[in-house]
Amino acid sequence: MNVVLLGPPGAGKGTHAAVLAREFQIPHISTGDIFREEMKAGTKLGKLAQSYIDDGHLVPDEVVVKIVAERLKRPDARKGFILDGFPRTIPQAVQFAEILAAAGRKLDAVIYLETPPEASIQRLSGRRVCRKCGANFHVENIPPRKEGVCDRCGGELYQREDDRPEAIRERFKEYQAKTEGLVAFYRDQGMLTTVDAGVPRERTLAELQSLFRRLG
Ligand code: AMP
């Protein structure tokens, strides 16, 4: 099952992908998570990525494409993947198609999590992330059992630098300018399935689960 989750910041891509990956036993590959890991470890890639990410800008295509190409070669991705946050530009999507074709693979579905801007902003501004395991919470929608502490690993919860209001504004601008066009790009190829992500999270997840069962 080779699936891409598409949608604006705050659509719930990461939250849903984490659940679906566990349930369907395929890796959840988030380019944002990969960058945050590198940033935490203070690597050269992390330092480069941070200069874009903290201000809400996109990391250059050639950097992201290389990372995804390498990640997809790992054995766990052989039986499938859920990509969250990639591709984010048309050039990324074009190069991604070439990478898959060269490996004799193809995408099974691109799922567009359609989300009204108010829902996205509410989710981003209240989001909290575990420093240790990367799990996502929300101060109102998905509160941790103990404030500031990850339910899963006990790690400390923090607010992402790019979830500040100025960075959120910039991320939406980037989304509209560079990512939104992918909806038409994949729709024209007959690959797009739209799921309503403006409704309570459980309903979106149920729809995604039944879609995945049909794909699998
Ligand atoms: P995310 O966790 O998906 O919200 O990603 C966080 C940030 O990482 C984004 O705002 C971008 O700066 C960067 N990023 C993640 N994926 C990509 C991508 N496919 N292309 C460019 N930048 C990306």
Side-chain angles (χ1 to χ4, degrees), residues 36-101:
R36 280 184 289 278
E37 282 297 316
E38 298 284 337
M39 278 154 55
K40 193 164 80 178
T43 63
K44 206 168 136 198
L45 171 63
K47 286 187 184 123
L48 171 84
Q50 185 144 25
S51 61
Y52 297 95
I53 292 176
D54 283 354
D55 292 334
H57 296 124
L58 293 186
V59 175
D61 289 338
E62 60 276 16
V63 177
V64 188
V65 170
K66 218 164 113 192
I67 286 170
V68 172
E70 286 306 312
R71 179 63 186 88
L72 291 180
K73 284 187 198 151
R74 299 222 321 243
D76 65 334
R78 238 174 256 153
K79 56 182 175 176
F81 52 76
I82 306 173
L83 266 168
D84 149 19
F86 179 91
R88 252 180 165 101
T89 66
I90 303 270
Q92 287 180 19
V94 170
Q95 288 177 65
F96 180 43
E98 288 165 5
I99 290 166
L100 287 176

